Amino acid sequence: MATAISILPAQQLATLNDAYRKAVARKRLKATVAAAVFCAALFIAALGADVNLHTFFTYFGNFVSYFDRILTLDSGARVWTDPVEWFWGLKKWLRLLGETLLISYVGTLTGAVLAFALNFLAAQNTSPGPWVRFIIRRLLEFARTVPGIVFALIFVIAFGLGPMAGVLAIAIHTTGALGKLFAEIVENADMKPVEGIRSTGASWLSCMRFAILPQVSAGYASYALLRFEINVREASVMGFVGAGGIGQELVVAIRKFYYSDVSAILVTIIVTVFIIDISTGWLRARLFGKETRR
């Protein structure tokens, strides 16, 4: 390419160089303007959200000191010097953590089943009609837009304290989130098998069962496993409003200033999420691997 350009006449080469410099200058100008607009929008948004850097730097020490306190036992020693004292309530915490996992599991499974039932009606290429698609999409948007903890608070008021509120909240939020993801997978499916099955006189349900489902089942399972991992964290937070699980114990420790208990419970939750993340990641890789080999 360099040789081809070097043999061009000087006037033509100068014209090309000038055009190139102008194009680069325009690109740099656009990048500079975009960066300036971004910074201006960020500054205006910070003012609107009342973000005060002076307050942040003034009280940042409190944030650091809190982490120092949760890593210190009542005796004044660091928590890792006496693990037995640090995890004195491990048996109780594991029981509550098991409750959190069950809340997440039941809520995720219920939400995944509902999302599976609704996503074909929400996908543009498989919905029986525009009005059906519009209504189902709005329902799914409502389910995933309202924060799960808000649903949990509503169900705590309705059904009282306990895991029931957490299960219902996670199930509704999961339905909205997975319903959208499942529908997007279906919209990317190949429609030629549907046309072939439909030409035999098969029903809409048969087309979904034999033409679409085999293409998308691995993606469904992958997203459901990922959602389970997310819901474990959601279920831990929902305990703050009395929806059961280890979150209730964590918020009690925070309110009573049991600093070392806070760090011990957090470590327990973090390790559990790590294990779930590794396990579900391995399962998702296996699912996609099998699908690829096919």
Side-chain angles (χ1 to χ4, degrees):
M1 186 66 182
T3 305
I5 294 176
S6 64
I7 63 176
L8 290 174
Q11 184 177 1
Q12 187 176 356
L13 185 60
T15 302
L16 291 174
N17 286 332
D18 184 59
Y20 174 75
R21 284 193 295 268
K22 288 181 179 179
V24 170
R26 284 195 300 269
K27 187 175 181 179
R28 289 176 179 172
L29 179 61
K30 289 180 181 178
T32 303
V33 171
V37 170
F38 172 79
C39 293
L42 180 62
F43 179 74
I44 294 171
L47 290 178
D50 197 22
V51 176
N52 192 325
L53 292 179
H54 179 265
T55 302
F56 175 78
F57 288 110
T58 301
Y59 295 100
F60 185 76
N62 294 340
F63 173 76
V64 176
S65 64
Y66 184 79
F67 275 90
D68 181 67
R69 288 193 294 271
I70 67 174
L71 295 176
T72 305
L73 297 171
D74 293 338
S75 62
R78 289 300 185 186
V79 291
W80 51 80
T81 62
D82 191 355
V84 176
E85 176 64 21
W86 188 16
F87 289 95
W88 68 272
L90 183 60
K91 185 176 180 180
K92 176 177 66 173
W93 297 336
L94 288 178
R95 178 178 59 80
L96 292 172
L97 185 60
E99 184 178 271
T100 298
L101 293 174
L102 290 176
I103 291 171
S104 177
Y105 174 73
V106 176
T108 303
L109 184 60
T110 304
V113 171
L114 292 174
F116 174 79
L118 296 175
N119 80 95
F120 297 107
L121 304 175
Q124 186 172 3
N125 56 341
T126 59
S127 180
W131 281 106
V132 174
R133 182 172 69 250
F134 177 83
I135 293 172
I136 298 300
R137 280 178 177 254
R138 300 297 81 77
L139 287 175
L140 294 176
E141 286 173 3
F142 170 76
R144 69 175 177 271
T145 300
V146 178
I149 197 168
V150 174
F151 279 129
L153 185 58
I154 294 172
F155 289 130
V156 164
I157 296 173
F159 300 104
L161 300 174
M164 173 67 76
V167 170
L168 292 175
I170 288 178
I172 292 177
H173 201 267
T174 298
T175 300
L178 287 183
K180 176 179 174 57
L181 294 173
F182 287 179
E184 290 180 351
I185 295 175
V186 170
E187 287 177 350
N188 291 321
D190 185 5
M191 295 301 292
K192 291 181 180 178
V194 177
E195 296 172 1
I197 293 178
R198 186 177 295 162
S199 66
T200 65
S203 64
W204 177 86
L205 190 61
S206 296
C207 290
M208 298 302 102
R209 166 64 181 86
F210 295 104
I212 296 296
L213 189 58
Q215 300 183 58
V216 300
S217 57
Y220 282 3
S222 177
Y223 278 124
L225 290 170
L226 178 62
R227 191 68 207 182
F228 172 67
E229 174 197 332
I230 295 171
N231 285 342
V232 171
R233 297 192 292 268
E234 288 280 335
S236 301
V237 175
M238 287 178 186
F240 285 22
V241 296
I246 198 170
Q248 291 185 198
E249 188 71 13
L250 178 60
V251 74
V252 167
I254 292 174
R255 289 173 178 171
K256 293 186 176 181
F257 303 105
Y258 296 159
Y259 295 112
S260 59
D261 287 4
V262 172
S263 61
I265 294 172
L266 287 176
V267 168
T268 305
I269 295 173
I270 291 170
V271 170
T272 303
V273 172
F274 280 171
I275 294 173
I276 293 173
D277 181 30
I278 294 171
S279 302
T280 55
W282 179 81
L283 285 174
R284 289 197 301 273
R286 293 277 295 177
L287 287 172
F288 279 121
K290 289 180 179 179
E291 189 70 15
T292 301
R293 282 195 296 271
R294 291 176 187 174

